[in-house]
Amino acid sequence: MSLLGIVIKCKAAVAWEPNKPLVIEEIEVAPPQANEVRIKIVATGVCHTDLYHLFEGMHKDGFPAVLGHEGAGIVESVGPGVIEFQPGDKVIPLFIYQCRECRFCKSPKTNQCEKGWAADRYDVMASAESRFTCKGKKILQFMGTSTFSEYTVVNQMAVAKIDPTAPLDKVCLLGCGVCTGYGAAVNTAKVEPGSTCAVFGLGAVGLAAVMGCKAAGAKKIIAVDINPEKFEKAKVFGATDFLNPKDHSKPISQVLSKMTNGGVDFSLECVGNVGVMRSALESCVKGWGVSVLVGWTDLYDVATRPIQLIAGRTWKGSLFGGFKSKDGVPQMVKAYLDKKVKLDEFVTHNMTLAQVNDAIELMKHGECIRTVLSVSPQ
Ligand code: NAD
Ligand code: ZN
């Protein structure tokens, strides 16, 4: 039976309030309105940004919400004015828009867009509008996507159509973590052949950054994590050296500086900790070192001494790896299908949506790289 134009009742994991387990509920998903696409989510990864919202940011206006922003699925129906997508298309919902018309979209310098939830609600991490209700209450769509739901509705400016042969339980990781880390190295840091890099934090984002450094031709890639169990995995993606800050009494920036004759050419912070952000910057060589903030936090100020920057270091940030979302994601799917980027190696656990709280616990305790949840049957 076609569900066109009708409200869909389906299962979703609802975050009713901060710091509490998600609850599997039956929610109502409204039909897509003008320029919107309703998507059956087939698979989703669990990213640390979901945990950030639930346990760290805890913005009171960001609840209740359906979390999840690293998903892939199939178009179920489209609203008026949508010609780019048809039911049955394989797609990845995007947490940043690409409207192609605003001054940011028109500039090759950035992947920011003036449209979408992110334009003015970074702190809340959800759009004020939503197509979800549950028990008579509006449920927010986290980062405009909400992939911990069997169905979701997204504006067509935030949907990427992908190769129909792509396995959704792998390419979902391109909806956030892998594009973020890989692009931070390749697009934002612009890692150069023969360079020395340090990547702080070896979750999926950091490991993807390691993969990006390698793809860009880095000679030495030093992987830094306080969990030594991550080091074996980092080797798979191209890390050449490992450092556990807990093994050293000196600040890690000094250890790195000594190891690399004055500091690394590029460093990437993939933890979301302002202290680590400072260490990553100060691990860079004076003169030309570039440090990129990738880890997500908006709770504290970052600090360093001005001389660090006066001496020629550059401090940058990267959102979604600098990829223009609608253009970049299909290209990364193709790169995976052409075996130019790895995805399978990030997946350490497969579970169902009903097990989402177990997946969150695994990440909280550093026991996974990515758990992929199967959400709806294909
Ligand atoms: P994760 O939890 O899987 O990985 C984080 C890693 O950091 C873990 O291996 C942990 O052991 C390590 N770590 C913790 N403290 C450390 C320290 N002091 N020094 C070194 N390593 C340390 O998370 P993830 O899903 O890979 O995400 C990483 C970060 O990237 C998060 O902050 C997430 O919110 C952020 N993120 C940013 C964007 C963006 O667009 N900028 C997108 C996605 C995720
Ligand atoms: Zn994410």
Side-chain angles (χ1 to χ4, degrees):
M1 190 192 78
S2 168
L3 300 171
L4 194 68
I6 67 163
V7 172
I8 292 179
K9 289 188 176 200
C10 70
K11 294 265 186 290
V14 178
W16 286 106
E17 50 186 321
N19 246 323
K20 293 273 163 64
L22 309 187
V23 184
I24 303 291
E25 304 276 13
E26 185 175 86
I27 66 162
E28 296 87 36
V29 182
Q33 299 186 4
N35 302 314
E36 292 179 345
V37 178
R38 189 157 62 182
I39 302 166
K40 179 170 84 168
I41 298 293
V42 172
T44 180
V46 178
C47 167
H48 199 108
T49 310
D50 300 309
L51 275 70
Y52 171 81
H53 188 67
L54 191 60
F55 302 117
E56 297 159 44
M58 300 195 294
H59 197 293
K60 65 173 173 39
D61 296 332
F63 294 84
V66 172
L67 303 183
H69 60 284
E70 194 178 76
I74 297 171
V75 173
E76 174 271 332
S77 61
V78 301
V82 176
I83 46 171
E84 189 188 339
F85 299 98
Q86 291 183 346
D89 285 346
K90 280 191 180 174
V91 291
I92 292 183
L94 306 164
F95 69 85
I96 50 173
Y97 276 46
Q98 187 182 352
C99 76
R100 302 191 194 281
E101 281 167 5
C102 73
R103 64 196 169 114
F104 297 100
C105 282
K106 282 186 177 154
S107 167
K109 293 180 184 169
T110 182
N111 64 345
Q112 298 280 312
C113 172
E114 249 165 13
K115 304 269 169 61
W117 68 273
D120 56 357
R121 286 175 53 101
Y122 258 118
D123 48 345
V124 178
M125 300 189 85
S127 159
E129 267 194 82
S130 159
R131 301 286 166 257
F132 295 166
T133 51
C134 179
K135 297 176 178 162
K137 290 202 176 75
K138 179 168 85 173
I139 308 294
L140 296 174
Q141 291 184 232
F142 178 64
M143 296 178 90
T145 51
S146 288
T147 57
F148 297 167
S149 174
E150 290 175 330
Y151 287 87
T152 190
V153 178
V154 180
N155 190 290
Q156 62 176 337
M157 290 184 262
V159 183
K161 193 192 290 197
I162 60 168
D163 190 309
T165 64
L168 298 178
D169 60 345
K170 303 293 186 305
V171 297
C172 60
L173 302 184
L174 294 169
C176 183
V178 175
C179 283
T180 294
Y182 188 85
V186 171
N187 301 327
T188 313
K190 298 193 190 331
V191 169
E192 291 164 0
S195 60
T196 296
C197 301
V199 175
F200 291 72
L202 303 173
V205 174
L207 293 172
V210 169
M211 180 164 74
C213 293
K214 178 156 188 218
K219 170 179 91 232
K220 200 175 178 73
I221 305 170
I222 307 166
V224 183
D225 202 297
I226 52 171
N227 178 353
E229 284 174 21
K230 305 279 175 125
F231 293 164
E232 270 313 301
K233 204 70 180 187
K235 248 188 234 173
V236 173
F237 292 99
T240 56
D241 298 78
F242 307 95
L243 270 185
N244 182 349
K246 288 183 173 167
D247 293 343
H248 299 270
S249 52
K250 280 196 179 147
I252 202 68
S253 53
Q254 287 180 26
V255 178
L256 275 161
S257 178
K258 201 161 173 212
M259 259 176 92
T260 58
N261 188 27
V264 299
D265 301 305
F266 300 96
S267 70
L268 296 116
E269 198 277 358
C270 304
V271 178
N273 173 312
V274 293
V276 180
M277 291 173 183
R278 180 176 192 153
S279 300
L281 174 75
E282 295 176 3
S283 301
C284 284
V285 66
K286 70 180 180 190
W288 59 73
V290 174
S291 187
V292 180
L293 309 188
V294 189
W296 192 290
T297 183
D298 202 26
L299 298 172
Y300 310 100
D301 293 345
V302 276
T304 190
R305 292 283 171 93
I307 190 65
Q308 295 288 334
L309 301 176
I310 293 168
R313 296 178 183 86
T314 302
W315 217 354
K316 306 173 87 174
S318 185
L319 181 67
F320 195 52
F323 282 108
K324 288 200 185 270
S325 58
K326 261 175 105 88
D327 294 341
V329 166
Q331 288 164 8
M332 285 294 281
V333 169
K334 185 165 187 309
Y336 166 69
L337 294 173
D338 292 345
K339 302 199 180 333
K340 291 186 179 134
V341 298
K342 299 182 198 292
L343 290 179
D344 304 15
E345 292 78 356
F346 289 97
V347 181
T348 52
H349 299 76
N350 287 285
M351 293 185 182
T352 63
L353 179 63
Q355 295 167 296
V356 62
N357 289 310
D358 298 337
I360 288 173
E361 285 302 306
L362 282 176
M363 176 164 269
K364 216 176 175 180
H365 295 106
E367 287 164 5
C368 64
I369 301 298
R370 273 297 189 258
T371 301
V372 172
L373 306 175
S374 66
V375 183
S376 305
Q378 270 199 51

